[in-house]
Amino acid sequence: MRKLYSSIRGTCDFSPLQASSFYSITHRTREIFRIFGYQEIILPLLEEAGVFIRGVGKNTDIVEKQLFGVARRQGEAKSDVVLRPEGTAQVVRYYLQNSLYKQSSFHKFFYIGPMFRGERPQKGRLRQFHHIGAEAIGSDSIYLDAELISLALHILDEVGVAKKELRINTLGCSSDKEKFSKELQKIFASKKGKLCQDCQKRAALNPLRILDCKQAQCRKLIESLHLGEARVCAQCKRQFHDLLSLLSALNIQYIYEPYLVRGLDYYTHSVFEITSKELGSQDALGAGGRYNSLIKELGGPDVAAAGFALGIERILLALGELKHPETIRAFIAVADSTLMPDALAILQKIRAKGISSEMDYCDRSLKAQLRYAQKLGARFVVIVGQEEAKDNCVTLKDMEESFQEKLSLDQAIAKIHNRGGN
Ligand SMILES: [Zn+2]
Ligand SMILES: [Zn+2]
């Protein structure tokens, strides 16, 4: 017996039904981005590891545990190539490589494509998944934060995710973050034993990250600390309150979540997550925030920016049962195989009108062809028999109305084409 292959763990195949949902989500999303003034970019799946090590942070889960290295071809100069784990650092690499800040002080981009993380696969956590991402570079305005948040929610609304919650927090400026990190380092140093294994390591290197650890023991410890509101300076606090008022003015409901920190180092100021109860323990549909120091960190000028990413697989999970994809409109059936050339000519004519149509390629009997047409969901069957071929006409069978009539081919096509009518 030959070995039967199956897909790699943590990857998923999209069936025609899922692919059709995937297409309608991304199609609708592109239209919304156009309305909001974001321009699409398509960037490679391969990047130098440094983009993420420096950008996302070397003590983050993404870099420490989840980067997918790619083997280099023999003889090539040594550089660490990885499959991209996220889009933000990559978009910033693109922005800097092309010195886009010289062309204009403000840019808005979006991208749709696969990301890769070497995760332990579980429901909602994949090794290859797809992001819809937006990045707006060149502004520190809270109006931009508000636009991005409302844009992310609008996309989810429009693709049909009705129930979702927006959670929001502020991490403050870089110096607020650093101060709070040091404070947490001190607190956790004496309580290390109560933390999960991952957080014991984070306690010294990335203590902020402990705040949104999902492990029960860590949650318990954090709640016992009564940290209260985020520790940010007066200016950052005012900025955050102004943002929250803006959201309220836009009728956007939010939950203030003081422990929301996100697992990536580059975030500063506002961070947010959009969650759905339909998703189980991995409940984020998407997330985003401001990353005012990332561009400088990657060697560029001091430029403020913000963005978000939504997970397409998570959206599909939240949508639950999928609608059937569109069925074909017309089927060309032949009374016997000598009429196949006629059927092919008719099929070509109907397809040229943009009507989805199909014929039989498996030598089925006429009866079996009609059954097959029904299975395909065809509304009309065009039957070509010897008599019809002689009279230069066809029999058009309306499968819904159980009615059939002899017509010229042009008349039949007109009837099939008439989508609105009966
Ligand atoms: Zn501050
Ligand atoms: Zn933990």
Side-chain angles (χ1 to χ4, degrees), residues 33-323:
F33 276 126
R34 187 187 66 76
I35 294 167
F36 278 71
Y38 286 72
Q39 290 185 303
E40 182 161 17
I41 45 176
I42 301 173
L43 302 182
L45 307 189
L46 301 176
E47 278 290 333
E48 207 173 309
V51 169
F52 306 104
I53 296 170
R54 278 244 311 276
V56 177
K58 78 171 177 296
N59 299 312
T60 57
D61 283 1
I62 289 183
V63 167
E64 265 192 338
K65 300 193 243 168
Q66 301 167 347
L67 274 187
F68 253 120
V70 174
R72 287 184 305 276
R73 291 175 57 189
Q74 269 188 341
E76 262 184 347
K78 185 175 161 50
S79 74
D80 285 318
V81 177
V82 296
L83 289 168
R84 63 179 185 188
E86 61 101 53
T88 303
Q90 183 182 40
V91 171
V92 171
R93 190 273 302 149
Y94 163 78
Y95 169 84
L96 292 175
Q97 182 176 350
N98 295 287
S99 308
L100 296 182
Y101 47 89
K102 288 181 185 161
Q103 292 172 19
S104 162
S105 59
F106 186 56
H107 294 267
K108 299 207 286 193
F109 298 115
F110 79 92
Y111 53 88
I112 296 173
M115 304 290 161
F116 303 84
R117 290 185 198 171
E119 309 240 19
R120 207 168 355 109
Q122 49 178 296
K123 191 185 176 196
R125 258 187 195 246
L126 294 165
R127 295 189 153 185
Q128 178 179 339
F129 53 94
H130 295 79
H131 266 173
I132 292 168
E135 315 293 347
I137 306 177
S139 162
D140 195 20
S141 166
I142 53 166
Y143 290 89
L144 178 63
D145 297 53
E147 169 177 289
L148 284 159
I149 291 169
S150 72
L151 171 56
L153 289 169
H154 184 55
I155 290 172
L156 292 169
D157 278 340
E158 288 288 310
V159 301
V161 182
K163 282 190 225 146
K164 55 200 168 294
E165 284 173 338
L166 168 68
R167 295 162 193 283
I168 189 165
N169 187 27
T170 180
L171 301 171
C173 51
S174 305
S175 78
D176 294 337
K177 253 179 96 174
E178 212 180 297
K179 259 211 250 157
F180 192 33
S181 268
K182 288 225 170 89
E183 193 185 328
L184 289 174
Q185 249 167 12
K186 262 189 228 149
I187 295 174
F188 290 127
S190 60
K191 296 183 165 59
K192 253 186 163 176
K194 292 181 178 167
L195 293 167
C196 77
Q197 255 184 351
D198 280 338
C199 288
Q200 291 190 6
K201 263 174 50 196
R202 291 169 183 150
L205 299 170
N206 195 359
L208 271 174
R209 185 74 180 79
I210 297 174
L211 296 184
D212 70 357
C213 177
K214 304 273 194 290
Q215 299 286 329
Q217 63 196 100
C218 300
R219 292 258 54 89
K220 216 172 123 190
L221 175 62
I222 290 152
E223 269 149 43
S224 76
L225 296 174
H226 302 291
L227 292 169
E229 290 207 3
R231 312 290 214 290
V232 301
C233 67
Q235 197 196 338
C236 289
K237 196 174 238 173
R238 198 169 49 241
Q239 204 178 338
F240 185 57
H241 279 277
D242 289 347
L243 172 59
L244 295 183
S245 319
L246 263 185
L247 294 180
S248 300
L250 289 168
N251 260 329
I252 293 173
Q253 305 209 328
Y254 59 83
I255 299 165
Y256 168 51
E257 186 101 35
Y259 300 138
L260 180 70
V261 296
R262 310 287 311 135
L264 299 81
D265 278 359
Y266 55 60
Y267 285 118
T268 55
H269 302 278
S270 65
V271 284
F272 65 91
E273 221 171 59
I274 302 169
T275 57
S276 159
K277 292 199 173 83
E278 314 285 312
L279 294 181
S281 69
Q282 298 300 323
D283 62 354
L285 290 159
R290 197 157 260 298
Y291 48 91
N292 285 356
S293 41
L294 176 59
I295 293 152
K296 208 169 157 191
E297 186 59 40
L298 286 175
D302 195 0
V303 171
F308 69 78
L310 303 172
I312 298 182
E313 284 81 355
R314 299 273 178 96
I315 292 174
L316 286 170
L317 266 179
L319 289 176
E321 197 136 320
L322 302 175
K323 275 195 254 87

